[in-house]
Amino acid sequence: GPFAIRWYALSYIAAFVLFLQLGKKRIKQGHAPLTGEMLDDLLTWGVFGVILGGRLGYVLFYQLGNYLAHPLNIFKVWEGGMSFHGGFLGVVIALWLYARKHNLSFVKLTDFAAPLVPLGLASGRIGNFMNGELWGRVTDVPWAIIFPEAGPEPRHPSQLYQFALEGVVLFIILNLFWRKHPPRGAISGMFLLFYGLFRFLVEFVRQPDSQLGLYFNEISMGQILSTPMIVAGGLMVWAAYKQPRLFGNAPKEAK
């Protein structure tokens, strides 16, 4: 019929459902700055942040010249073109606006949201893999895969590397860290630090965008965009422990 079901659409739906289910579980445990009803509202804000930020990020970071020449193509989202880093910035802005509207601590809200996100990222990478897109570089490793749209050469299944690192491993790290009751800002910093690090590493085996290639014959746009995340994340973790008042933490009493 006229209604097409897309892998990427399914991955987005799965990401939103996982966010809601994990968030409601966290709320029931009494470890949340908001209620279940507020979580539903927060997801709506986040969805707009992901879509608008992801699209604008792709336009600005990856295809600016093309869209300046054909600006109406910006609205053709069905043709593909989303950026994680743009979507991330969109969500950060959405969370900031939501926290401001409801008089919540922005950092406390991001600390709550960060551990709920990685499984959604994992779902998105499965969507990339099933679509046969964002493939890796040519390789002779035993688990290499031939992607129909990428030619006859076997390539790294970099989508699965990102699924494992940005999704599963990051989820485990953040949720184990959360159990230790870290100071405010530390979990948000850990998300930035480890996502940026994992993405930076995978970019070495991921095929660079054809319209951009590699900068200085070494680094990709993904690595350039991930570097500020690594730096900001490391600084946030340091500040959470060494400068607790920056995030509203009470300093520990001297023993």
Side-chain angles (χ1 to χ4, degrees):
F3 184 75
I5 298 176
R6 306 292 184 184
W7 277 110
Y8 211 51
L10 292 177
S11 70
Y12 265 73
I13 293 170
F16 299 147
V17 170
L18 287 167
F19 180 88
L20 277 180
Q21 294 304 311
L22 292 170
K24 289 180 177 179
K25 181 178 180 180
R26 190 66 54 84
I27 290 171
K28 288 181 180 179
Q29 294 172 340
H31 303 295
L34 67 174
T35 65
E37 187 173 311
M38 292 173 71
L39 181 68
D40 295 334
D41 192 27
L42 178 65
L43 177 63
T44 302
W45 287 62
V47 168
F48 280 106
V50 166
I51 295 174
L52 294 176
R55 184 59 173 172
L56 289 176
Y58 181 77
V59 170
L60 293 173
F61 301 146
Y62 294 96
Q63 290 274 10
L64 182 58
N66 178 50
Y67 287 110
L68 286 176
H70 305 90
L72 292 180
N73 289 347
I74 294 174
F75 303 100
K76 296 180 180 180
V77 294
W78 56 88
E79 293 182 356
M82 297 286 282
S83 160
F84 165 81
H85 294 92
F88 169 75
L89 291 175
V91 169
V92 168
I93 293 171
L95 290 177
W96 180 78
L97 292 172
Y98 185 87
R100 185 173 180 178
K101 177 183 177 181
H102 293 278
N103 197 28
L104 298 172
S105 165
F106 170 64
V107 177
K108 196 171 183 179
L109 188 61
T110 59
D111 280 350
F112 166 76
L116 312 180
V117 171
L119 291 185
L121 298 179
S123 175
R125 294 310 176 189
I126 290 296
N128 294 146
F129 180 75
M130 297 302 293
N131 280 341
E133 61 191 13
L134 305 182
W135 48 74
R137 304 184 194 187
V138 175
T139 182
D140 59 357
V141 297
W143 56 87
I145 292 177
I146 296 175
F147 294 95
E149 300 297 323
E153 302 93 345
R155 296 176 176 272
H156 282 286
S158 56
Q159 314 97 320
L160 299 185
Y161 303 165
Q162 291 183 267
F163 160 81
L165 292 174
E166 301 168 9
V168 178
V169 175
L170 185 58
F171 176 80
I172 292 172
I173 289 173
L174 293 181
N175 281 274
L176 288 177
F177 189 57
W178 171 80
R179 293 177 181 272
K180 297 183 179 294
H181 306 289
R184 189 179 302 178
I187 293 179
S188 299
M190 291 284 282
F191 176 89
L192 291 171
L193 175 63
F194 279 99
Y195 177 88
L197 179 62
F198 291 152
R199 176 65 182 269
F200 192 94
L201 293 175
V202 173
E203 286 285 328
F204 284 115
V205 296
R206 178 171 157 171
Q207 183 68 24
D209 295 271
S210 58
Q211 74 276 14
L212 297 178
L214 293 174
Y215 294 87
F216 312 109
N217 293 319
E218 292 290 341
I219 59 174
S220 66
M221 175 59 78
Q223 289 172 316
I224 292 173
L225 296 174
S226 295
T227 300
M229 296 183 72
I230 298 171
V231 175
L235 289 174
M236 282 190 71
V237 174
W238 175 85
Y241 284 97
K242 299 299 183 180
Q243 301 291 331
R245 287 192 176 90
L246 289 176
F247 300 128
N249 292 310
K252 292 183 179 180
E253 296 181 3
K255 295 184 179 179

